Amino acid sequence: MIQAVDLTKRYEDGNLALDHLNLNIQPGQIYCLLGANGAGKTTTINLFFNFIEPTGGTALINGVDCTKDPIGAKRHAAYVSENVMLYGNFTARQNLEFFTRLAGRRELGKEDYYMVMRQVGLPERSFENRVKTFSKGMRQKLGIAIAILKQAPALILDEPTSGLDPKAGAEFMELLTRLRGEGKAILMSTHDIFRAREVADVVGIMKEGVLIMEKSRENLMYEDLEKIYLKYMEV
Ligand SMILES: Nc1ncnc2c1ncn2[C@@H]1O[C@H](COP(=O)(O)OP(=O)(O)O)[C@@H](O)[C@H]1O
Ligand SMILES: [Mg+2]
């Protein structure tokens, strides 16, 4: 569903940020991408949404080439970043309305928005409050609500839990596991080794643009992911 084939990005200044990345994330899978700052995680994610263009290889979402048909590819994927773009002066419901209409869904009504806000765990009293009064955790939940309403089979998230307090982070990850249960393919970058180990079906470690390790849940069962990570960072 979310696929990279020898995906490569050299920025205009010559920096090789991503070097022949191969990924394949199936429906019902969570893939956690770990790596130090500057490892190439955001570059990878940005390539799927055609925010930047690859200098080699291919990014595909549901088989659609993200460079040749970016609009077609984006139809199958929802994006959540560390700081979800929301309108502070709009209420939560108004933000949902605005962004889902932008994504082409016009048939939804107030009850649909309320239902999805309940589903992501936003408190009822916040539904008609302006988003500028929201905590970061609430904003991220609203970001996921927008993603859910898009009804895309792929979900791609760039450090969605960074800056969240532990409870908000845990709730957010629980939400992701629920979406996995509904068959979504999920790619997320994170610095949270503990949570990655807990929820990921596959964990990848990236270093200087290269995917240097990839392990499935079964292979991590009896291993200390933090130790593995730190060891890879040394060499
Ligand atoms: N627009 C850009 N132009 C040049 N280099 C960039 C640009 N964006 C990111 N980089 C470089 O690409 C590398 C990977 O960055 P990034 O993908 O943001 O890493 P991460 O998200 O893992 O922290 C870094 O060396 C970074 O400095
Ligand atoms: Mg990044």
Side-chain angles (χ1 to χ4, degrees), residues 11-13 15 17 35-44 158-159 206:
Y11 284 105
E12 289 69 17
D13 61 2
N15 189 349
N37 293 325
K41 305 180 297 296
T42 296
T43 297
T44 301
D158 197 1
E159 294 188 34
M206 197 176 260

Side-chain angles (χ1 to χ4, degrees), residues 171-216:
E171 286 169 3
F172 194 88
M173 295 309 285
E174 199 198 307
L175 210 54
L176 288 187
T177 58
R178 229 185 302 154
L179 292 169
R180 164 177 59 195
E182 291 169 14
K184 307 269 188 204
I186 301 172
L187 167 64
M188 68 175 289
S189 72
T190 180
H191 288 300
D192 193 334
I193 293 175
F194 171 75
R195 290 242 161 69
R197 190 187 194 291
E198 209 166 70
V199 308
D201 298 286
V202 185
V203 174
I205 298 178
M206 197 176 260
K207 185 177 182 180
E208 291 163 13
V210 180
L211 188 66
I212 52 172
M213 188 219 83
E214 192 176 69
K215 274 184 197 276
S216 66

Side-chain angles (χ1 to χ4, degrees), residues 82-83 134-141 159-160 162-164:
E82 184 195 338
N83 292 298
F134 278 24
S135 67
K136 183 154 186 193
M138 289 166 76
R139 296 173 65 94
Q140 293 308 88
K141 282 178 182 169
E159 294 188 34
S162 83
L164 296 191

Side-chain angles (χ1 to χ4, degrees), residues 24-218:
N24 198 352
I25 304 155
Q26 309 289 343
Q29 265 194 336
I30 297 180
Y31 190 112
C32 284
L33 203 51
L34 301 173
N37 293 325
K41 305 180 297 296
T42 296
T43 297
T44 301
I45 287 168
N46 287 350
L47 286 164
F48 281 104
F49 291 98
N50 201 45
F51 298 146
I52 51 174
E53 287 202 2
T55 45
T58 318
L60 301 145
I61 299 171
N62 202 13
V64 182
D65 189 315
C66 299
T67 313
K68 287 191 190 132
D69 183 8
I71 294 170
K74 275 187 261 192
R75 211 170 278 143
H76 303 292
Y79 170 68
V80 178
S81 63
E82 184 195 338
N83 292 298
V84 174
M85 241 294 290
L86 297 164
Y87 288 99
N89 277 325
F90 283 4
T91 68
R93 199 236 329 139
Q94 286 171 330
N95 270 281
L96 280 185
E97 219 164 56
F98 179 79
F99 285 106
T100 50
R101 283 187 183 169
L102 209 59
R105 295 201 67 194
R106 303 183 163 277
E107 77 286 8
L108 301 173
K110 191 167 149 182
E111 259 320 305
D112 300 301
Y113 298 124
Y114 279 19
M115 203 168 67
V116 76
M117 285 193 276
R118 276 182 210 114
Q119 195 186 331
V120 300
L122 280 168
E124 201 88 20
R125 62 181 182 285
S126 70
F127 292 179
E128 298 294 343
N129 283 350
R130 287 184 195 210
V131 161
K132 65 180 171 197
T133 66
F134 278 24
S135 67
K136 183 154 186 193
M138 289 166 76
R139 296 173 65 94
Q140 293 308 88
K141 282 178 182 169
L142 194 54
I144 276 278
I146 293 167
I148 289 171
L149 284 171
K150 197 177 171 191
Q151 292 184 324
L155 194 53
I156 302 179
L157 313 97
D158 197 1
E159 294 188 34
T161 57
S162 83
L164 296 191
D165 65 61
K167 182 163 176 283
E171 286 169 3
F172 194 88
M173 295 309 285
E174 199 198 307
L175 210 54
L176 288 187
T177 58
R178 229 185 302 154
L179 292 169
R180 164 177 59 195
E182 291 169 14
K184 307 269 188 204
I186 301 172
L187 167 64
M188 68 175 289
S189 72
T190 180
H191 288 300
D192 193 334
I193 293 175
F194 171 75
R195 290 242 161 69
R197 190 187 194 291
E198 209 166 70
V199 308
D201 298 286
V202 185
V203 174
I205 298 178
M206 197 176 260
K207 185 177 182 180
E208 291 163 13
V210 180
L211 188 66
I212 52 172
M213 188 219 83
E214 192 176 69
K215 274 184 197 276
S216 66
R217 173 197 294 283
E218 298 76 47

